[in-house]
């Protein structure tokens, strides 16, 4: 595969011509010591690359040949796409998300099917339309929980200089951030009245994903590391820049904690800074009393909540009067510390919604966008005008786009096709397959656009196409293929056929895999596919020497044709060699096949023949007269049965010589003996034919049987006279 030459620790693909973004760098964690002699690259499953790193030959590495790790190389896998946002998701976590999310997806679509049965004409009933977004919201929350909840690492002793929230054990993932963003704009109807506040909460959790250096979070993280060694924090420009940045994006609790680190709160100071401390505390109180248009606040968050627009406007006007009053207060003259005076006034300008000060405080266009919504347009309801505002913010704060910013730009453009395309590019097929239901929850236009059948796509819709892409990704992995049917079954046009292909392509050599495949066939009522899979499993086991397991699968599939062929083959093999050892060799298969396989009575004869042989064995081991009479009855039944092949007559009679010469008296009457003599005469005539096959018997077998029958006939005549 082409690539830019680099060291052996990274893989850099060529950038496309005209692309303004640098190509991504994929690290190679091979653990081999330099130098690397050669690298081979090939495609693996999905979007994985197989990279094989080879060390130099032994004649070129005398020193390395003496090392303990003198292996020839190492093969590793490199994940392409979404490396910036999804680099901390391991393969095991992806599989866990795939398995757990299918339950929520299946539940939502079962609910959709049940609601479809309530249709009146072409429209759903009013209650169904009213509550559908709530069902989708429950589905969205369950998916959000699957993606992971933040687990905080709290120290045993709290440091008063720690103003950021405790460090998370697991870093936030971009997939969850994108999911919450779509939930905010497409699903939760209750958020429309406090959309700016919800975006503030979202940014607080995922600001670190926007950029590594150009965010409020990065500024505060740097300040957090420095503040522990600062004796006078208010003298540092970074302190006031961090305060302004945190206030601009609405992180009021962080602002209050930072202001309380101001030196004027120190009780051991020598300067008279009472007025300065009073001004700082006044700003803290104003920040703590900032009106917020939202139903409630989490624990530890600052502000006054208002649930109605009327109450919020009244509270906002009163609060802004206080802020304006403090800005024009004469007490600023008595504040001798210039950085404090300038920094606090800058904070007041931000609280009053000064666009210039807000722009100076923020680093990323998305932060500037949310700051405008919070301070300048707090009553924004819906997407009206947001697209133009986002475009202005992008021009003021040009920033490198990633998956999240592209997703928000697509949402604000009100084009669901762009939203799904950006999601697929940045976060993979999983989120796209599950996000279609979010985008269509409250919009009939979007529902029609994404679920409309398109001739260019073979009758499939856009939503179904993304579902098929995700199902294909699942089917390409041996540990997730069994999840794919849940998604293929919801694709009405092409899903059924692809589901059948997927099931038929599963390996049949593994008994558990076959059982799982049959279970899926039963679940989706694919009886024909189930029968075909059992026939395939039977053929595989039969060809590889597992005769019993092969017959079992043929019986389960009710494949009478192959069972009949096996019975014929078994019959022929037993007929070629009628010794006791040969018969025992095939006795197990006879037991498995049973006697109901229709081959003109062949297997029925073999089962009776087996019963006759067992009765003879009892006589050899010291059987009674009753056992001998039972054996005689079985012999007569076999010889009278027209399904008994002629090549078995002589072996049957030869095995019965001991019965014919029974010491206590004849076991066969005159009529039965004449029957056997007639069969023996027919057998003597048949020996003259060239196609006669009498089996592997001794040459004088016919004479011995004839003599035994003659003796029995004589004794029978005497007894009946």
């Amino acid at each position: 595969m082409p690539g830019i030459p680099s060291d052996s620790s990274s893989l850099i693909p060529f950038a496309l011509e005209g692309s303004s973004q640098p190509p991504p760098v994929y690290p190679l964690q091979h653990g081999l010591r330099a130098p690397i002699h050669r690298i081979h690259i090939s495609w693996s499953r999905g979007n994985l690359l197989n990279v094989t790193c080879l060390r130099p030959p032994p004649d070129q590495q005398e020193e390395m040949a003496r090392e303990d790790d003198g292996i020839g190389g190492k093969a590793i896998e490199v994940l392409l796409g979404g490396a910036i946002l999804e680099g901390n998701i391991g393969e095991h976590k992806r599989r866990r998300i795939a398995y757990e999310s299918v339950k929520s997806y299946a539940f939502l679509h079962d609910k959709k099917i049940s609601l479809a049965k309530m249709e009146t004409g072409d429209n759903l009933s009013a209650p169904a339309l009213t509550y559908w977004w709530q069902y989708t919201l429950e589905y969205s929350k369950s998916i959000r929980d699957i993606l992971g909840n933040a687990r905080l690492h709290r120290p045993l002793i709290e440091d008063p200089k720690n103003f950021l929230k405790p460090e998370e054990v697991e870093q936030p993932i971009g997939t969850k951030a994108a999911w919450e963003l779509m939930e905010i704009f497409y699903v939760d109807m209750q958020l429309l009245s406090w959309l700016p506040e919800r975006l503030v909460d979202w940014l607080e959790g995922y600001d670190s994903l926007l950029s590594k250096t150009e965010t409020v979070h990065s500024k505060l993280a740097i300040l957090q590391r420095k503040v522990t060694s600062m004796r006078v924090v208010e003298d540092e420009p970074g302190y006031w820049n961090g305060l302004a940045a945190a206030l601009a994006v609405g992180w009021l609790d962080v602002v209050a904690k930072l202001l309380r680190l101001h030196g004027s709160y120190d009780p051991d100071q020598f300067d008279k800074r009472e007025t300065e401390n009073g001004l700082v505390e006044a700003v803290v109180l104003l920040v703590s009393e900032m009106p917020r248009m939202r139903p409630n606040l989490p624990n530890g968050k600052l502000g006054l909540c208002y649930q109605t627009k009327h109450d919020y406007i009244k509270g906002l006007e009163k609060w802004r009067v206080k802020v304006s009053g403090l800005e024009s207060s004469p007490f600023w003259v008595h504040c001798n510390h210039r950085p404090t005076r300038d920094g606090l006034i800058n904070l007041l300008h931000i609280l009053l919604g000064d666009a210039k000060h807000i722009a100076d405080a923020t680093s990323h266009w998305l932060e500037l966008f949310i700051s405008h919504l919070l301070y300048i347009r707090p009553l924004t309801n819906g997407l009206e005008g947001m697209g133009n505002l986002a475009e202005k913010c992008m021009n003021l704060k040009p920033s490198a786009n990633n998956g999240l910013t592209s997703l928000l730009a697509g949402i604000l453009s009100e084009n669901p096709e762009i939203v799904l395309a950006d999601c697929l590019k940045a976060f993979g097929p999983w989120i796209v397959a599950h996000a279609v239901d979010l985008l269509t929850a409250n919009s009939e236009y979007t529902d029609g656009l994404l679920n409309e059948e398109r001739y260019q796509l073979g009758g499939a819709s856009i939503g179904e196409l993304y579902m098929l892409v995700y199902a294909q990704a699942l089917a390409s992995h041996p540990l997730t293929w069994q999840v794919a049917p849940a998604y293929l079954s919801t694709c009405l046009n092409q899903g059924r056929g692809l589901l059948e292909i997927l099931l038929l392509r599963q390996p049949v050599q593994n008994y558990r895999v076959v059982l799982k495949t049959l279970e899926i066939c039963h679940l989706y009522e694919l009886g024909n596919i189930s029968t075909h899979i059992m026939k395939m499993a039977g053929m595989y086991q039969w060809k590889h020497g597992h005769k019993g397991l092969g017959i079992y699968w043929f019986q389960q599939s009710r494949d009478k044709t192959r069972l009949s062929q096996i019975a014929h083959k078994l019959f022929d093999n037993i007929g070629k060699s009628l010794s006791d050892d040969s018969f025992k060799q095939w006795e197990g298969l006879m037991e498995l096949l049973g006697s109901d396989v229709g081959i003109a009575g062949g297997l029925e004869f073999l089962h009776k023949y087996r019963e006759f042989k067992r009765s003879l064995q009892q006589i050899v081991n010291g059987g009674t007269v009753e056992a001998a009479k039972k054996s005689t009855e079985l012999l007569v039944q076999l010889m009278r049965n027209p399904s008994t092949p002629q090549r078995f007559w002589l072996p049957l009679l030869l095995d019965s010589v001991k019965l014919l010469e029974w010491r206590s008296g004849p076991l066969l009457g005159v009529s039965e003996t004449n029957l056997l003599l007639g069969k023996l005469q027919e057998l003597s005539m048949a020996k003259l034919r060239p196609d006669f096959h009498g089996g592997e018997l001794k040459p004088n077998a016919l004479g011995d049987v004839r003599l035994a029958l003659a003796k029995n006939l004589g004794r029978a005549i005497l007894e009946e006279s």
Side-chain angles (χ1 to χ4, degrees), residues 515-527:
L515 290 182
K516 184 64 179 179
T517 307
L518 296 177
E519 180 184 350
I520 295 173
C521 291
H522 177 72
L523 181 62
Y524 296 103
E525 300 179 354
L526 298 173

Side-chain angles (χ1 to χ4, degrees), residues 573-618:
N573 289 334
I574 294 177
K576 290 178 182 178
S577 178
L578 297 173
S579 62
D580 291 342
D581 294 338
S582 175
F583 189 80
K584 291 178 180 179
Q585 178 183 358
W586 301 101
E587 192 173 5
L589 291 181
M590 289 171 53
E591 186 71 28
L592 285 174
L593 283 171
S595 59
D596 55 347
V597 180
I599 59 166
L603 280 182
E604 182 182 0
F605 156 74
L606 288 179
H607 281 274
K608 289 183 178 180
Y609 182 54
R610 181 185 61 178
E611 188 177 355
F612 172 69
K613 297 282 282 188
R614 288 178 178 177
S615 65
L616 286 179
Q617 187 65 34
Q618 293 177 1

Side-chain angles (χ1 to χ4, degrees), residues 450-461:
L450 298 182
N451 294 323
E452 178 187 4
E453 297 182 0
R454 298 174 182 252
Y455 175 78
Q456 300 88 338
L457 302 179
S461 62

